[in-house]
Amino acid sequence: MRGLYLHIPFCRQACRYCDFFFTVSLQHIETFTEHLVKELEIKALSFSGTALDSLYLGGGTPSLLSPVQLDRIISAIHRYFTFSEDAEWTLECNPDDVDSNYLKTLKKIGFNRISLGIQSFHDRELTLMHRSHDARQAKESVLEAANAGFQNITIDLIYGIPGQRLKAWEENIRTALTLPVTHISAYHLTFEKGTVFDHWREKGKLMAVDEEVSLAQYRTLRSKLLAAGFDHYEISNFARNGHLSKHNMLYWSGEPYLGLGPSAHSFDGNNRSWNIASLKGYLQGIAAGEGFTETEKLTSTEQYHDYLITSLRNRWGALPGYLEKRFGNSYRDYFLEKTEPFLAAGFMKMEDDRVVIDPEYWLITDHILKALFMD
């Protein structure tokens, strides 16, 4: 196992676009912390033995945990795991949660990377998305993190927001580039089923931006960040000075990882498992020592699909030779046959022994993947 992910499911309020598992009921944070440590004790022995490259606390809003609660969790992790010398420790934070003291405490505990959920530097967009911070707090949180000594700061931005003009998106990018950030994750807004935004769209209250606007925003994002020295290494991710996300790289390279907390996923190299997406069910399962995890044994075809989903999202692409070695000639030949039209049209290209999607067309990756999947 190379990475450890902890899902902290608490939020102050529900963002209107988010379909991750979360709860706004904060009274169970202390009980959750105790049960998370217990889950670590239950599962750690099956995964221990290798120094980890990544620790990532996501959510939800991990910055709702107090320094005492974080210290308790980290102390438990240290009882069971060791970390490589250059391991990356990331904590996701909301801008309105962090101040100088909290950030300095995170550094002292051992975190060396901060991920700030900015989403936008425009108050109108933040209000529409029902974010809990404003534009001023967004900028100040980045500066506070830098002043606290963090040299690896990543921010999340969202484009394709209903009503968002290209000029407003350019201003978001321009503002981000004035700040000491080393990594930017920029996601196109999607209307996920069950979210407020999806409900509003069905009622005609919101409309998705059209494809031309999406494409213009994506191209603007690429051109401005590349010009500023960022490496566009995955559909939604840009890194400066080599600060690629080690945690996400584990996912995209098919490395094993352990996920703890409600709804968290794990992967052992061949099989997926996941915890129940219910805080009550999770707490009850942990207390009983059973009933909170499901496992799926992947078929060869499912593993082939997983490999394409992860490898073709990034600039390293897929290796036909790897497909042959792992799955046999038939999978390699099928892949090469299905990629031919995309190679001929320029959507994909061969780079040495790899097949990659041209970054200019990463927005249509899902369309390409569907054509490469086996029935």
Side-chain angles (χ1 to χ4, degrees):
M1 187 186 78
R2 299 280 303 283
L4 180 61
Y5 172 78
L6 278 61
H7 188 79
I8 313 300
F10 302 99
C11 291
R12 293 191 191 279
Q13 61 189 49
C15 298
R16 291 170 176 148
Y17 57 85
C18 181
D19 71 334
F20 291 167
F21 172 71
F22 68 92
T23 175
V24 294
S25 181
L26 305 184
Q27 68 264 33
H28 300 296
I29 289 182
E30 180 61 28
T31 302
F32 165 79
T33 301
E34 296 170 0
H35 284 66
L36 184 66
V37 170
K38 187 171 291 186
E39 184 190 5
L40 178 68
E41 295 168 348
I42 292 170
K43 293 183 175 178
L45 294 179
S46 300
F47 290 90
S48 60
T50 304
L52 304 183
D53 294 323
S54 170
L55 170 65
Y56 194 104
L57 272 65
T61 312
S63 52
L64 288 175
L65 293 174
S66 70
V68 172
Q69 291 163 339
L70 282 170
D71 191 57
R72 193 183 313 158
I73 292 168
I74 297 303
S75 295
I77 290 171
H78 278 307
R79 287 201 295 271
Y80 296 98
F81 295 105
T82 58
F83 290 87
S84 59
E85 190 173 324
D86 59 347
E88 178 185 271
W89 286 31
T90 305
L91 187 85
E92 289 184 352
C93 299
N94 270 1
D96 50 312
D97 288 333
V98 297
D99 58 25
S100 178
N101 290 333
Y102 188 80
L103 289 162
K104 288 177 180 176
T105 300
L106 294 182
K107 282 283 292 181
K108 185 177 180 181
I109 290 173
F111 289 96
N112 53 24
R113 183 173 185 264
I114 290 294
S115 178
L116 291 161
I118 302 294
Q119 317 310 354
S120 174
F121 292 103
H122 290 285
D123 284 331
R124 186 200 72 82
E125 294 173 351
L126 292 170
T127 299
L128 176 65
M129 292 185 287
H130 204 226
R131 295 293 294 167
S132 58
H133 67 277
D134 59 27
R136 177 187 58 80
Q137 291 171 315
K139 287 179 277 192
E140 287 182 352
S141 65
V142 178
L143 298 175
E144 287 277 14
N147 289 335
F150 283 95
Q151 298 178 5
N152 194 355
I153 302 170
T154 179
I155 64 172
D156 289 352
L157 296 175
I158 293 178
Y159 62 104
I161 299 169
Q164 184 184 57
R165 297 182 181 277
L166 182 59
K167 181 180 178 182
W169 176 233
E170 289 176 333
E171 289 171 352
N172 275 335
I173 299 170
R174 194 179 308 119
T175 300
L177 292 176
T178 67
L179 297 169
V181 297
T182 52
H183 188 282
I184 295 176
S185 296
Y187 304 99
H188 192 290
L189 186 139
T190 55
F191 289 83
E192 301 293 349
K193 189 173 179 59
T195 62
V196 172
F197 271 10
D198 189 53
H199 176 70
W200 283 358
R201 182 179 62 167
E202 290 180 350
K203 296 292 185 181
K205 191 174 179 180
L206 277 185
M207 289 183 63
V209 299
D210 63 46
E211 291 184 4
E212 287 186 4
V213 173
S214 292
L215 183 58
Q217 291 180 338
Y218 174 73
R219 286 176 172 168
T220 297
L221 172 71
R222 266 182 56 78
S223 65
K224 291 191 177 300
L225 293 192
L226 291 176
F230 281 81
D231 172 19
H232 191 189
Y233 70 100
E234 192 269 348
I235 295 176
S236 304
N237 287 274
F238 299 78
R240 177 184 268 164
N241 299 328
H243 286 93
L244 284 66
S245 169
K246 290 187 178 182
H247 179 74
N248 287 342
M249 289 299 295
L250 294 179
Y251 294 160
W252 301 327
S253 59
E255 296 286 347
Y257 55 87
L258 173 63
L260 305 177
S263 80
H265 284 62
S266 302
F267 180 63
D268 66 5
N270 294 300
N271 305 304
R272 286 191 295 252
S273 61
W274 57 92
N275 288 346
I276 186 171
S278 160
L279 181 59
K280 181 179 179 181
Y282 171 79
L283 295 177
Q284 291 176 341
I286 294 292
E290 58 184 24
F292 59 93
T293 300
E294 296 182 50
T295 300
E296 176 185 20
K297 185 174 178 60
L298 301 177
T299 66
S300 293
T301 299
E302 289 170 332
Q303 291 181 47
Y304 164 76
H305 291 169
D306 275 3
Y307 175 69
L308 296 189
I309 289 170
T310 53
S311 63
L312 290 175
R313 291 179 60 89
N314 60 59
R315 62 177 168 84
W316 296 276
L319 286 160
Y322 174 82
L323 293 174
E324 178 183 1
K325 182 178 179 180
R326 181 169 179 180
F327 304 111
N329 292 344
S330 61
Y331 281 87
R332 179 205 60 195
D333 294 345
Y334 181 88
F335 172 76
L336 291 174
E337 176 190 347
K338 294 298 182 179
T339 57
E340 281 182 6
F342 296 104
L343 288 165
F347 294 111
M348 305 181 82
K349 54 188 176 181
M350 292 291 298
E351 291 185 349
D352 298 324
D353 53 354
R354 299 173 179 271
V355 178
V356 301
I357 298 176
D358 189 315
E360 286 289 329
Y361 301 105
W362 269 346
L363 273 189
I364 63 167
T365 294
D366 287 347
H367 168 73
I368 295 174
L369 288 171
K370 288 178 183 177
L372 305 182
F373 285 173
M374 291 185 170
D375 294 334

